[in-house]
Amino acid sequence: MTSAHMTRRTVTTAGLAAALALTPSTAARASAFAAPASVARAFAAPASSALRLPAPTGPYRIGATVHHLVDPSRNDPWVPAIGVREVMVTVLHPARTVRGYPRAPQLTPGAAGLFTFLAPEIHGLPAAGVDWAATLTHSHTGAPVLPGHWPVLLYSPGGGEARTMGTYLAEELASHGWVVVTVDHPGDASQVEFPTERPGRDLVRPTVFFRPPDAEQFRTMIDTRLADLRLVLDRLEALEGPLGRALDLGRVGVYGHSAGGTAAAQALYDDRRIAAAVNLEGYLDQVDGALFPVARNGVDRPLLLLGTDGFRDARIDRSWGAMLAHPGGHTWRRQLDDAAHQVFTDYAALVPQLRCAGLMTAADRVRLVGAIGPGAAVRAVRHQVRGFFGRRVPVGAQ
């Protein structure tokens, strides 16, 4: 999510402190943000409905492991008191067996608690009536990897979004034989839960973006994401054990949504380890209009630009047009019709359920994901992304 999408998020100090069980010092940092008292009251409302994610269609069952990566060579750009850069990732992979391994929740209880509070300010989601901790994925925590040599895909979510809202597409890819590594960018993501607390942050860390990022913040956001993706690839190369042996790091792709799509395209340009990329509706220019190097100079490896008619604007056309103007035929553009920006995330499946439950208006549904039906939306996104990587980072190739 770029600055154009981050327009609804404001919070009360008291509500944020309650959601995070904040220490006094952290509560003081939150005091710069304000919102109507109704938001805090809504946080205390009882949850009820559990939402469902679409099942993946591939032949493989899915295992999931969560990893906490620490880069001592970088400080956190958003909260320097932390002293290091931390990244949380989930690795989804074909599983040898899932028997005896539980299905993973989409959101951990701690993350769901904060998300429940933030939900009204994230895309206008309902303030009550949803149990965000109750949604299960189709991945099984701790299930062992199926031996093989599986290609690897990295996923970077939209600005202000968590990696967990990219589950339906990540699970689809993993079920067809890719190892998918979904990446949270802490401080940017809506909420990130860590294994433990540390000085400078709590166990569950909220986003710093309670208002749209300015030009400098957007530049920092993308630069940080690029460094995070490099860190993840570096750590995957050093990974040992059965999972490390199952990774084919000679076949790596990256995809991302919105700001994550921007980062995915630029990562393809920057890092020769990446063979192909998919940009799901991310701008390829800075806020001031300066093109990113990938759009300014072009790239010699495959890049898919996948957008919607509902989000298409002059900035998309200008920056994507610059990318497409380069010779060589390495970039393709596709568009989903009757769709909107969040169709590439789990909201494609979740928002229509909220609308059917009477928890969202028809106008908000269309604003977020478009008028396209949820089944058609999920199928179309999966088809485009899986088909592209199937040709460019194929499963089964040696």
Side-chain angles (χ1 to χ4, degrees), residues 8-91:
R8 298 185 61 94
R9 186 178 291 134
T10 52
V11 297
T12 64
T13 302
L16 184 56
L20 289 170
L22 294 178
T23 63
S25 62
T26 313
R29 291 198 300 271
S31 64
F33 310 110
S38 60
V39 176
R41 290 195 299 270
F43 177 56
S48 57
S49 300
L51 303 176
R52 297 180 304 278
L53 292 169
T57 66
Y60 299 109
R61 306 296 292 274
I62 305 167
T65 58
V66 176
H67 301 261
H68 176 210
L69 309 182
V70 179
D71 184 353
S73 71
R74 287 189 291 151
N75 198 357
D76 189 272
W78 311 115
V79 184
I82 294 174
V84 296
R85 179 60 180 169
E86 301 174 284
V87 176
M88 292 297 298
V89 305
T90 298
V91 180

Side-chain angles (χ1 to χ4, degrees), residues 21 83 156 230 236 342 355:
S156 179
R230 288 194 297 272
L236 290 175
Q342 295 299 329
R355 169 58 186 153

Side-chain angles (χ1 to χ4, degrees), residues 110-170:
L114 179 55
F115 188 79
T116 299
F117 172 72
L118 293 175
E121 310 309 318
I122 301 175
H123 314 307
L125 297 171
V130 183
D131 183 357
W132 293 105
T135 301
L136 295 177
T137 71
H138 298 87
S139 302
H140 296 258
T141 301
V145 67
L146 181 66
H149 292 89
W150 309 106
V152 176
L153 303 176
L154 308 186
Y155 170 65
S156 179
E161 301 282 3
R163 72 191 191 276
T164 48
M165 282 298 165
T167 297
Y168 91 73
L169 181 53

Side-chain angles (χ1 to χ4, degrees), residues 37 69 78 99 172 180 182 195 207 213 249 269 310 331 348 353 359 381:
L69 309 182
W78 311 115
R99 186 172 183 178
E172 174 72 1
V180 183
T182 63
T207 181
L249 293 170
Y269 178 87
T331 304
Q353 294 175 56
L359 296 173
V381 173

Side-chain angles (χ1 to χ4, degrees), residues 60 148-151 176-178 248 251 389-390 393-398:
Y60 299 109
H149 292 89
W150 309 106
H176 282 272
W178 285 275
D248 184 350
R251 290 179 289 158
F389 282 129
V393 189
V395 174
Q398 299 297 326

Side-chain angles (χ1 to χ4, degrees), residues 96-321:
R96 177 169 53 80
T97 180
V98 298
R99 186 172 183 178
Y101 297 92
R103 287 173 63 184
Q106 184 185 29
L107 295 176
T108 62
L114 179 55
F115 188 79
T116 299
F117 172 72
L118 293 175
E121 310 309 318
I122 301 175
H123 314 307
L125 297 171
V130 183
D131 183 357
W132 293 105
T135 301
L136 295 177
T137 71
H138 298 87
S139 302
H140 296 258
T141 301
V145 67
L146 181 66
H149 292 89
W150 309 106
V152 176
L153 303 176
L154 308 186
Y155 170 65
S156 179
E161 301 282 3
R163 72 191 191 276
T164 48
M165 282 298 165
T167 297
Y168 91 73
L169 181 53
E171 289 191 327
E172 174 72 1
L173 295 166
S175 78
H176 282 272
W178 285 275
V179 171
V180 183
V181 184
T182 63
V183 182
D184 261 340
H185 305 283
D188 179 339
S190 54
Q191 77 289 321
V192 181
E193 183 167 358
F194 294 91
T196 60
E197 296 181 8
R198 71 175 301 136
R201 65 154 175 79
D202 297 286
L203 185 67
V204 183
R205 180 179 173 182
T207 181
V208 301
F209 289 114
F210 296 104
R211 56 181 62 91
D214 59 25
E216 182 179 355
Q217 289 171 329
F218 183 70
R219 190 181 304 274
T220 299
M221 174 193 289
I222 301 303
D223 288 347
T224 301
R225 286 163 172 265
L226 291 168
D228 289 347
L229 292 173
R230 288 194 297 272
L231 172 67
V232 172
L233 271 178
D234 291 345
R235 296 299 172 84
L236 290 175
E237 289 177 341
L239 188 63
E240 298 179 346
L243 181 57
R245 292 192 293 272
L247 304 179
D248 184 350
L249 293 170
R251 290 179 289 158
V252 174
V254 60
Y255 69 104
H257 174 237
S258 199
T262 306
Q266 186 58 40
L268 177 69
Y269 178 87
D270 290 343
D271 197 325
R272 300 297 303 185
R273 292 175 294 183
I274 299 171
V278 176
N279 173 2
L280 303 172
E281 215 157 53
Y283 295 125
L284 292 179
D285 61 357
Q286 300 280 2
V287 172
D288 63 7
L291 292 173
F292 281 95
V294 65
R296 188 169 63 247
N297 301 322
V299 72
D300 61 355
R301 282 153 291 144
L303 171 64
L304 174 64
L305 307 176
L306 184 58
T308 65
D309 60 341
F311 185 77
R312 185 170 182 170
D313 62 10
R315 187 177 172 191
I316 281 281
D317 282 343
R318 174 183 174 273
S319 63
W320 285 20

